[in-house]
Amino acid sequence: MNLRSGITTGTCAAAAAKAALLTWLGEKPAFVEIHAPAGKVLTVPVSSAESLCDGGRAVVLKDAGDDPDITNGVAIIVEVLVRAGQPEIVFSAGEGIGRVTLPGLQIPVGEPAINPVPRQMIETELRALLPSGSGALVSISIPDGERLAKRTLNPTLGIVGGLSIIGTTGIVEPMSEEAFKNSLKPQISVAKALGYNSIVMVPGKIGQDFAVGRYSLPAASVLQTSNFIGFMLESAVEYGIEEVLLFGHLGKLVKVAGGIFHTHNRMADARMETLAAYMAAEGAPQAAVKAVLGCTTTEAAIPILQEYELNSVYSILAQRASVRASRYVFGDLRVGTAIVTMKGELLGLDDEARRIGGRLGWTIV
């Protein structure tokens, strides 16, 4: 089945800005053409537009195609106020648009979270229409943006108050793994800009909450990897990070101990097989090994290890995950690993985790 591509919030904002200015100039377009950085001309429908005394306002509804984008269907509202004799185009954050509060992103601290490519797209479209010598004040709003932003990485990146206007090609490719990975990467640049050469990588939001709330690791140092642990380790090397603490649930980190760095279950699994192998190496009886191999989740296996007094296996798995992770980036990172349950209880960790955690202020008993 062919999946339908969509358009980025940057393309929507550029289209709404163009429609707003055209409306002020006497045309009220139902569609506008936008020149996308990918080299394509995109025809974008305009939901509504109105003329103001010194500019215009227009609304474009985000169409993400078949991509499961959190902003699909939201209204992106742009108001363009023409400023005669002031040639600059200035951007402001309206309702639901975030503001940058931490260094390390493409946009300076204090600026609206409107990325460089969307800014350039908007400028290109407006410059072709503005009267000579005039500039504009461009205000972008997404009415539901503040609520939706809580379900994104914006709070982790220090973007407060709403969503970002993003996009590098102008087009949303459905189910794009590359786009998702690239949304994770800026977390590292922010941590680096804040002075962290030691960072914590967690697979998801639950691990992040435990790392910060229960174990008092600095929030700015704790970054989500999703399933892309290998990619994020390589990215950490690119940014000059020196050491990484892998912190997360047994079900994810046992895969890393087995040399699996894309941890989605459709890519690779072997959780139970890896756990059972290390249990056997520690002298587990056959009954224990068989019981674990019969489990469907690693959480279900935890009581079995407890019953057979095999809790030492967790620290061995942690040490093995650290070795495999460091080897994955050819020794360019020092790596420690801490493994927890779904309730955040510490199962095991290695000496590197103690050292890196201690450097970050984690007092490990």
Side-chain angles (χ1 to χ4, degrees):
M1 180 180 67
N2 292 326
L3 296 176
R4 188 171 62 88
S5 60
I7 55 175
T8 63
T9 51
T11 296
C12 293
K18 184 174 184 176
L21 189 52
L22 284 171
T23 302
W24 179 69
L25 292 169
E27 181 183 343
K28 192 173 182 180
F31 296 86
V32 293
E33 289 189 342
I34 298 297
H35 295 82
K40 295 183 178 180
V41 176
L42 305 174
T43 301
V44 181
V46 179
S47 178
S48 65
E50 62 179 312
S51 181
L52 306 174
C53 62
D54 52 357
R57 180 186 297 112
V59 180
V60 168
L61 301 181
K62 168 69 180 291
D63 179 5
D66 288 325
D67 192 71
D69 191 316
I70 195 172
T71 61
N72 187 46
V74 302
I76 296 177
I77 306 167
V78 179
E79 185 174 284
V80 177
L81 300 180
V82 179
R83 306 197 300 177
Q86 300 181 55
E88 298 85 5
I89 291 179
V90 178
F91 293 90
S92 69
E95 179 187 1
I97 299 297
R99 187 168 294 278
V100 177
T101 65
L102 295 177
L105 297 176
Q106 295 174 289
I107 301 299
V109 170
E111 281 285 306
I114 305 167
N115 278 9
V117 171
R119 288 179 186 234
Q120 185 57 54
M121 291 174 68
I122 294 168
E123 287 210 30
T124 297
E125 301 300 338
L126 294 185
R127 288 292 180 202
L129 299 171
L130 282 167
S132 178
S134 294
L137 175 62
V138 179
S139 176
I140 305 175
S141 304
I142 300 177
D144 202 27
E146 187 167 6
R147 180 185 67 83
L148 291 173
K150 295 174 182 177
R151 298 170 59 191
T152 72
L153 285 173
N154 276 14
T156 299
L157 296 175
I159 297 171
V160 300
L163 292 164
S164 304
I165 301 297
I166 61 173
T168 55
T169 66
I171 299 169
V172 174
E173 297 296 343
M175 312 294 183
S176 171
E177 181 176 295
E178 198 64 28
F180 186 32
K181 290 196 293 187
N182 287 334
S183 75
L184 296 169
K185 198 172 180 179
Q187 298 174 98
I188 304 174
S189 65
V190 170
K192 181 73 174 179
L194 291 172
Y196 288 101
N197 288 314
S198 303
I199 61 174
V200 184
M201 289 189 176
V202 297
K205 184 67 166 58
I206 293 175
Q208 186 176 41
D209 290 344
F210 285 137
V212 175
R214 182 164 182 168
Y215 294 103
S216 302
L217 289 162
S221 72
V222 182
L223 322 180
Q224 292 185 41
T225 67
S226 185
N227 289 305
F228 309 112
I229 294 175
F231 169 80
M232 290 294 280
L233 288 169
E234 292 172 326
S235 298
V237 172
E238 289 178 25
Y239 281 102
I241 297 296
E242 295 173 1
E243 50 191 16
V244 170
L245 170 60
L246 296 178
F247 180 101
H249 185 255
L250 174 63
K252 289 292 185 183
L253 296 186
V254 71
K255 292 186 180 185
V256 178
I260 297 168
F261 290 92
H262 186 319
T263 58
H264 193 284
N265 68 305
R266 294 293 296 273
M267 297 297 294
D269 196 344
R271 292 166 300 155
M272 300 310 169
E273 290 81 358
T274 303
L275 184 54
Y278 280 91
M279 288 171 58
E282 287 299 292
Q286 189 177 53
V289 173
K290 284 185 174 182
V292 165
L293 289 174
C295 292
T296 56
T297 68
T298 53
E299 198 75 13
I302 291 172
I304 299 171
L305 274 77
Q306 177 73 34
E307 178 185 351
Y308 286 93
E309 298 182 350
L310 290 165
N311 289 341
S312 61
V313 168
Y314 301 124
S315 293
I316 296 169
L317 285 168
Q319 193 272 337
R320 188 61 180 165
S322 298
V323 168
R324 298 301 289 263
S326 182
R327 186 185 299 169
Y328 187 83
V329 291
F330 305 101
D332 289 337
L333 289 172
R334 294 186 295 276
V335 182
T337 301
I339 298 172
V340 298
T341 69
M342 285 294 289
K343 294 181 179 179
E345 297 158 344
L346 186 63
L347 289 173
L349 73 168
D350 60 6
D351 290 340
E352 279 292 345
R354 291 180 182 277
R355 192 182 62 77
I356 298 169
R359 187 187 294 275
L360 290 168
W362 178 14
T363 303
I364 307 164
V365 178

